[in-house]
Amino acid sequence: MFFHDKRLQYHCKPDRPDPLFACKLQEVLGGQWGEISVFMQYLFQAWNCRGPQKYRDMLLDIGTEEIGHVEMLATMIAQLLEGADADTTEAVAKSSSAVQAVLGGSSPKDMMMAAAMNPQAQIVFGQGAAPCDSMGNRWTAAYIVSSGNLLADFRMNVTAESQGRLQVCRLYNMTEDKGVRDFLSFLIARDTMHQNQWLAAIEELRADGLEDTPCPSSFPQELEAKDFSYAFLDFSKPGTESAEGRWARGHAPDGKGTFQHIVEPKPHGPVPDLAGRADPRWYATPPVPTPPTTI
Amino acid sequence: MFFHDKRLQYHCKPDRPDPLFACKLQEVLGGQWGEISVFMQYLFQAWNCRGPQKYRDMLLDIGTEEIGHVEMLATMIAQLLEGADADTTEAVAKSSSAVQAVLGGSSPKDMMMAAAMNPQAQIVFGQGAAPCDSMGNRWTAAYIVSSGNLLADFRMNVTAESQGRLQVCRLYNMTEDKGVRDFLSFLIARDTMHQNQWLAAIEELRADGLEDTPCPSSFPQELEAKDFSYAFLDFSKPGTESAEGRWARGHAPDGKGTFQHIVEPKPHGPVPDLAGRADPRWYATPPVPTPPTTI
Amino acid sequence: MFFHDKRLQYHCKPDRPDPLFACKLQEVLGGQWGEISVFMQYLFQAWNCRGPQKYRDMLLDIGTEEIGHVEMLATMIAQLLEGADADTTEAVAKSSSAVQAVLGGSSPKDMMMAAAMNPQAQIVFGQGAAPCDSMGNRWTAAYIVSSGNLLADFRMNVTAESQGRLQVCRLYNMTEDKGVRDFLSFLIARDTMHQNQWLAAIEELRADGLEDTPCPSSFPQELEAKDFSYAFLDFSKPGTESAEGRWARGHAPDGKGTFQHIVEPKPHGPVPDLAGRADPRWYATPPVPTPPTTI
Amino acid sequence: MFFHDKRLQYHCKPDRPDPLFACKLQEVLGGQWGEISVFMQYLFQAWNCRGPQKYRDMLLDIGTEEIGHVEMLATMIAQLLEGADADTTEAVAKSSSAVQAVLGGSSPKDMMMAAAMNPQAQIVFGQGAAPCDSMGNRWTAAYIVSSGNLLADFRMNVTAESQGRLQVCRLYNMTEDKGVRDFLSFLIARDTMHQNQWLAAIEELRADGLEDTPCPSSFPQELEAKDFSYAFLDFSKPGTESAEGRWARGHAPDGKGTFQHIVEPKPHGPVPDLAGRADPRWYATPPVPTPPTTI
Amino acid sequence: MFFHDKRLQYHCKPDRPDPLFACKLQEVLGGQWGEISVFMQYLFQAWNCRGPQKYRDMLLDIGTEEIGHVEMLATMIAQLLEGADADTTEAVAKSSSAVQAVLGGSSPKDMMMAAAMNPQAQIVFGQGAAPCDSMGNRWTAAYIVSSGNLLADFRMNVTAESQGRLQVCRLYNMTEDKGVRDFLSFLIARDTMHQNQWLAAIEELRADGLEDTPCPSSFPQELEAKDFSYAFLDFSKPGTESAEGRWARGHAPDGKGTFQHIVEPKPHGPVPDLAGRADPRWYATPPVPTPPTTI
Amino acid sequence: MFFHDKRLQYHCKPDRPDPLFACKLQEVLGGQWGEISVFMQYLFQAWNCRGPQKYRDMLLDIGTEEIGHVEMLATMIAQLLEGADADTTEAVAKSSSAVQAVLGGSSPKDMMMAAAMNPQAQIVFGQGAAPCDSMGNRWTAAYIVSSGNLLADFRMNVTAESQGRLQVCRLYNMTEDKGVRDFLSFLIARDTMHQNQWLAAIEELRADGLEDTPCPSSFPQELEAKDFSYAFLDFSKPGTESAEGRWARGHAPDGKGTFQHIVEPKPHGPVPDLAGRADPRWYATPPVPTPPTTI
């Protein structure tokens, strides 16, 4: 069960409206690696957790925090969209006729607004934040993962915090608004924490003897086609730059094998042949002419 | 530029048709963590790579291999779909009337086939493999990642090989067909290699001084809201099981901070208030009655 | 900012596992009218609210409650998926050979499981709840609405609670498990409350003088093409059953017009003609042959 | 069966081309609340109607009319896209060098067009209307509803006409073209009619004794968890602004209960615990280390 | 503007309900090549047509007819879903205990219905037709095409009528219900007509001198990289079966070139190299270590 | 199995960066008719081919080539995105204050970049190519076709090469960069070849006696509702321009019938009536009031 505190986790007030930046900021609200993705992902992992309670609790802690991040982003975006239209209009009205010529065909006001932002911010969302990314793609649960296997899922969580922090850092470079930058510095700090948190959780899984590489570790490794378990296959020619990397020599990180570099990968299977085995009821093209048929 | 060898990378021939398993196997062909996802992801990361050539080359090697995995899965699925319909029909024809009673309403043959499999395998794909997951959802590029930052992306790649191996291991438990299991043991082995490969590549990035935790490591960490960079916030009550984990105490994995456990997280921001700042042209509901208007 | 209480809002424990019903129950978790849709919709409406605080607060109250409904559904589904596989297998093993003949081609165990449930419940989600509907379609934010206009949005909210209650009532008829039915009776009760709540909120908007029919009420109605504002146009022939309804006679519900029934709707515009106005650079087919061209 | 009259229902000719506005206008053609959504929704509700003929007929009347609205919007958009490119180019050619400097990197013509509009209007649709919203998202049937329950569906229809009219009113404010505004005034008038129509149809359903609040009204209300059927739960703290609304006191709109305001909502369920009940075949992480296994 | 005749274009009444077949039949209503796709495609092509009126008129004729095909399919599906549930239940009640053992875990009634059909037919659509394909994927306008170039589009139309007829023929083989087969024989006949119609329309475009192969024919062919315009490149080894086809020798169908078969395709471009040209603000991994930075 | 040659199939180097054009060029990489669509389509058709080997081999040849086209487009786009940001910034810095006034509200740099391009090129893809179309819609396998019937599929392939060539020709007109135009002239040439190739393959299928019009040709045509197999139905009034076309008179292209033009199409079916046949458990609205019920 959840409760809401009307106060925000951190302050998020821009120095001034900036509808263009509002549209960009949508990426980390409703994009593939935005805050909706992480809160939904962590909560589903928690609700489906059949492992030790400390993992479930930790997932609930962070998943709950992330809903509050969506709230702050939505609030920030709504403020960035405020009042901006009138200002822009005024600026255009004062501008030189050369500029108006460029804006041509339609009215300068409309053209400027159209060029400046996602039109749905006004037509659909009425100056409000949207459950979308920076291109207006609606958020989809196709982004998230909850497999039941905590190692597989925590690796996804490290990824999410890495891609997310990367995107916020890029956005930091796209604005000079001090209020916005202060807010982003909070998100970046939390992503630093959360990258570390998931890396620590992966260590903990191993220390607890619950999961290890290769994941899932409780599949009996002797059932693998072992000749291929530590072989690096070089499929891109000419040149063998890839042989210079750590992945092509020495002990594998799982401590269970040694990397080999295979310069000329061979096919181990035959040329497949499906010819002549089509069921006539489905009218797939057969290898030889066949008479009309139904069943 | 690419070339194709008509022979398969490994043998993939089932002992007998099994249209039900064919439909399940689609998950690792065209699902979120299927082979289409990994080949597309690795190739895009390669084509967009602005880092050292060994990384680009390695990405091309593995991305190219994975196209061949899609090919084997498609071939396996097409064979599992072969000839099965007739067999099923025959079995039903011979079955007792009690069974036919259960199958009621429509013909036993149709009901059995409907119950047994995705109808698109016949109606849409004519006994062929589909670019879909096990529920018939078409593959979408929303699954994949290519950010330009190799650490962020390699973490996604470790995830993909973990989720993928997990799914293939589950599928291994869902069939007793020796031909299918042999083929799956090859995919599992390659996923063992590829998990190790990406973990090694992450080590290499660090050894090369190119990337580190927190990712992206070239954002100046002094610009973060530092009070929050290593704080674990406990948002789920009652009980503090989450405090027992590695993520709540000691040095953070990045070696740059020490975890704190905050039992009572506080709001640091105000109650937000947007009331009264709506532009009347967009007809958002205002705090007080307003007269009709257009511009 | 949000907090989580580890206890559930209501009890939700099935008498016994039922993986088939688990898959159906997904509809009201992650379908178009499921609990994810309502909590996301209400929270976005709250965060974007520029009207009186009582509306914003009410939206936050209900949006927060609904996250807890997702939590209960996820927990119920995870339990319904538990242990069922083994039971089913055992039952099949004991069954007559006639039955096994029907199940033909592949192993009875696999066929039964395949026929019984969404394969992703095991392959992808490992016996856990999924952010999907009953057909495995991932939830998408394309389902939700936050327009800034509270009357337009509250009408959507009444709809959501009506469609949602309808679906839960249907699901109630699809199970005889007392534990499940008890849980569903709670969801049905909350939907009763919430239908009433939104209808009351619509009354309140009108009482406050903020919004009314036609919505948005602050667009000047004299700018409409008034001849068409209260005319029912009969486009389906023969017969005029539609003339018998309340919508074709008497005062309109908004109190601002009188319905007319137009038996023979007329075209008021011309035959459109775009012929000959294609820009040659885009190679749309012109009305007469044209020479090759580039710019 | 359908027939087409080549004349348009209303005139829709812009005073001059405006490719920017064309792209915005797409929202009410192919967006979530556009005319494709309403015609498809009403026709499916009609075709699936098992209630009295007057409702089915009325649905067919309005569904058929709305196809003609899509036609007018498509025609308007195709005209707004005409000839505009050349004009814009000419304006740019005449503009000052300062402006050209801004447009930098690529040619002014391309940059202007890119900034001005959805590139698919030319590349994909060749100056034609598209089955998309204003951001280029293709229309999806995920937007529409046909539940078989007319009250639940008519509430969706009131919503659709409210959101639709809201969007058209916003678009009215985004253009000063008299031809476009005349056309929009027709759409606004029809939305006025259709809001009233669906409200009247809801009255009629009640008058006919077919449906009522709570919907569906033929589920026996005594089976609900009655303690929660009229309780407003206050989940957002601090402050109780939400207690000031109509939804927290007095008789509920359905006339069957009285609202209560619950200041401190309590959990009525336990802390859920799934630990230890994972089937080992799916490799979900267990609470204690387990040996490797397959089946 | 459109009109509706309440009578159906053809009779469509099944001999008896068959909910399984109903779900399959959805494929040709709301799938990629279903009737929604063709009516929407033809109407958009008509509305966007800038060519001779005879083409626009013909597109309107067929597009309008196809709406009526959706209507018939929806009606057929609603009837196939009728009354079936009770029958199935009764049959199960009478069946042997062996069968009930198979159905295990949950009630036979539910299991049978679950195994038999898409659960949304009841939960979401209440025994009505849905705007979906046979797997429950909602129809999307991503399926359709309207490019402005009639030759490119008519080729799509031939495709649509071919894929559509193929699917209906397959469905014909999946049922023995005479009423259903009679109805399908009508759809098959119309697809025969429409394949012929689009082939004839392609002839007409050429006869009118408007379009030809290669399409678009008004791009000046001398601007192509002519060495590659008629060369068949053999990228799949070993073996040259592809050299046996018509596409590798003789005059090309456009009458403008002669096919060549290139046994060893060569790369004509260099190894690409993006290394070192990343803008530091976006934190893409560079080829050498770089200091922290922001802008 | 696949191999990669690091050299590109053709040279693809722009004369200078052009981020706007980069975003447009995405259409033919990851749009509905882009290179991802064709390579995936041809490979799936090959892997599922049960016809003669020459067709399978040919599909593999061209499918493999097309992966290399995606590679070139990705490389071209990455280069077009390079270095452009700084240049644009500099140009803006030098521009007149009138221009800066237009750019108003936010910083000129941000506004210019926002107006100029898809923000995901930086935020999400870090100056890299994306698996998206020109509006940022991710590629989806819903675009592609593999039916097993080679005639139905080759018609789709002709379509794909026609729509694709059309789009590349349009893009050719949108740039003046000689490097880009040289590269596009290669793609246009290959599309010329491939249109011809698929037309030749269709001839070959007929010559081999494998498929013909109407497709699928092995469905017995005497089972069609023959009265409707060659009838052109005129559903759009007034005027009969459509009667002037080749599709309304003379022998049909399949040589098996003669076109008829039906001026007044008649309904051949009844008014459908579903009233009163709703199962009460699903709460669809019935024709008369019914008492509350559950099962």
Side-chain angles (χ1 to χ4, degrees), chain B:
Chain B
M1 197 166 82
F2 292 80
F3 288 93
H4 180 256
D5 187 310
K6 290 171 192 172
R7 292 162 296 184
L8 298 170
Q9 192 185 4
Y10 196 74
H11 25 102
C12 59
K13 199 162 169 47
D15 290 356
R16 66 186 62 81
D18 184 346
L20 295 182
F21 193 75
C23 295
K24 290 178 185 167
L25 200 51
Q26 285 281 158
E27 189 66 35
V28 291
L29 193 171
Q32 183 174 12
W33 301 108
E35 300 283 352
I36 296 178
S37 293
V38 286
F39 97 69
M40 289 282 278
Q41 181 158 293
Y42 302 157
L43 291 181
F44 269 88
Q45 289 177 9
W47 293 328
N48 289 331
C49 181
R50 289 187 165 87
Q53 290 296 319
K54 66 182 170 187
Y55 293 101
R56 170 184 263 258
D57 190 12
M58 179 264 281
L59 284 159
L60 287 166
D61 286 333
I62 181 173
T64 303
E65 178 182 354
E66 305 281 16
I67 316 177
H69 292 195
V70 179
E71 182 179 46
M72 286 188 288
L73 278 162
T75 302
M76 176 60 91
I77 287 169
Q79 292 173 104
L80 287 166
L81 292 170
E82 270 176 3
D85 310 332
D87 294 358
T88 306
T89 307
E90 199 175 352
V92 169
K94 285 183 203 153
S95 70
S96 74
S97 60
V99 170
Q100 296 197 15
V102 182
L103 301 175
S106 57
S107 83
K109 182 184 67 189
D110 284 343
M111 189 145 185
M112 214 56 224
M113 278 194 287
M117 61 190 296
N118 176 334
Q120 292 191 329
Q122 293 161 345
I123 305 174
V124 177
F125 298 103
Q127 291 189 298
C132 295
D133 68 15
S134 64
M135 288 298 284
N137 299 302
R138 298 285 179 112
W139 188 85
T140 159
Y143 296 144
I144 72 167
V145 170
S146 170
S147 73
N149 184 290
L150 294 184
L151 179 53
D153 287 359
F154 289 176
R155 285 172 168 176
M156 180 63 167
N157 299 352
V158 178
T159 305
E161 299 290 347
S162 302
Q163 299 282 348
R165 192 173 181 274
L166 175 63
Q167 294 186 352
V168 179
C169 290
R170 286 168 172 174
L171 285 160
Y172 190 98
N173 281 335
M174 287 175 165
T175 182
E176 289 167 5
D177 185 296
K178 286 195 169 46
V180 175
R181 283 195 156 190
D182 179 39
F183 168 59
L184 297 181
S185 78
F186 177 76
L187 294 183
I188 293 169
R190 294 312 289 154
D191 288 351
T192 295
M193 171 60 200
H194 293 149
Q195 277 184 38
N196 277 288
Q197 173 180 336
W198 296 120
L199 290 169
I202 288 170
E203 287 179 21
E204 186 90 344
L205 280 173
R206 191 174 183 185
D208 288 347
L210 294 175
E211 298 286 350
D212 205 350
T213 301
C215 165
S217 50
S218 52
F219 181 85
Q221 213 169 339
E222 64 272 18
L223 298 178
E224 293 183 23
K226 281 184 291 286
D227 292 349
F228 303 91
S229 296
Y230 297 93
F232 184 88
L233 305 178
D234 192 325
F235 278 100
S236 182
K237 306 292 172 184
T240 56
E241 295 92 332
S242 62
E244 298 161 19
R246 170 73 185 79
W247 49 79
R249 58 174 192 275
H251 290 297
D254 67 6
K256 298 167 188 163
T258 303
F259 286 132
Q260 290 171 271
H261 183 266
I262 309 296
V263 183
E264 298 286 350
K266 299 289 180 227
H268 297 271
V271 176
D273 182 7
L274 306 178
R277 297 209 298 273
D279 184 321
R281 290 174 296 164
W282 316 130
Y283 306 112
T285 302
V288 293
T290 49
T293 184
T294 64
I295 287 204

Side-chain angles (χ1 to χ4, degrees), chain F residues 209-263:
Chain F
L210 294 174
E211 299 284 351
D212 205 349
T213 301
C215 165
S217 49
S218 52
F219 181 85
Q221 213 168 341
E222 63 273 17
L223 298 177
E224 294 184 19
K226 281 185 292 285
D227 293 349
F228 302 91
S229 296
Y230 297 92
F232 184 89
L233 305 179
D234 192 325
F235 278 101
S236 181
K237 307 291 172 183
T240 56
E241 294 92 333
S242 63
E244 298 161 17
R246 171 72 186 80
W247 48 77
R249 61 173 189 276
H251 290 296
D254 67 6
K256 298 166 187 164
T258 304
F259 286 132
Q260 290 172 270
H261 183 265
I262 309 295
V263 182

Side-chain angles (χ1 to χ4, degrees), chain A residues 16-18 20-21 24 27-28 32 87-88 91-92 95-96 99 103 112 115-116 133-135 137 163 166-167 170-171 173-176 234-241 265-267 271-278 280 282-294, chain F residues 1-7 46-53 56 96 98-99 101-107 109-120 122-127 134-138 147-151 205 208-211 216-221 223:
Chain A
R16 66 185 64 81
D18 182 346
L20 295 183
F21 192 75
K24 289 178 185 166
E27 189 65 36
V28 291
Q32 183 174 12
D87 293 359
T88 307
V92 169
S95 69
S96 75
V99 170
L103 300 176
M112 215 53 225
D133 68 16
S134 63
M135 287 299 285
N137 298 303
Q163 299 283 347
L166 176 63
Q167 294 185 352
R170 287 168 172 173
L171 284 160
N173 282 335
M174 288 175 164
T175 182
E176 289 166 6
D234 192 325
F235 278 101
S236 182
K237 307 292 172 182
T240 56
E241 294 92 333
K266 298 291 178 224
V271 176
D273 182 7
L274 307 178
R277 296 208 299 274
W282 316 130
Y283 306 112
T285 301
V288 293
T290 50
T293 186
T294 66
Chain F
M1 198 166 83
F2 292 79
F3 288 92
H4 180 256
D5 187 310
K6 290 171 193 172
R7 292 162 297 185
W47 293 328
N48 289 331
C49 181
R50 289 187 164 87
Q53 290 296 318
R56 171 183 262 259
S96 73
V99 170
V102 181
L103 300 176
S106 58
S107 84
K109 181 185 68 189
D110 284 342
M111 190 144 184
M112 216 53 226
M113 278 195 289
M117 62 189 295
N118 176 335
Q120 291 192 329
Q122 294 161 346
I123 304 174
V124 177
F125 297 104
Q127 290 188 299
S134 64
M135 287 300 284
N137 298 303
R138 297 284 179 115
S147 73
N149 184 290
L150 295 184
L151 180 53
L205 281 173
D208 288 348
L210 294 174
E211 299 284 351
S217 49
S218 52
F219 181 85
Q221 213 168 341
L223 298 177

Side-chain angles (χ1 to χ4, degrees), chain B residues 124-126 128-131 138, chain E residues 32-33 163 170, chain F residues 40-41 43-49 144-149 153:
Chain B
V124 177
F125 298 103
R138 298 285 179 112
Chain E
Q32 183 174 13
W33 301 109
Q163 299 281 349
R170 286 168 172 173
Chain F
M40 290 282 278
Q41 181 158 291
L43 291 180
F44 269 87
Q45 289 177 10
W47 293 328
N48 289 331
C49 181
I144 73 167
V145 169
S146 170
S147 73
N149 184 290
D153 287 359

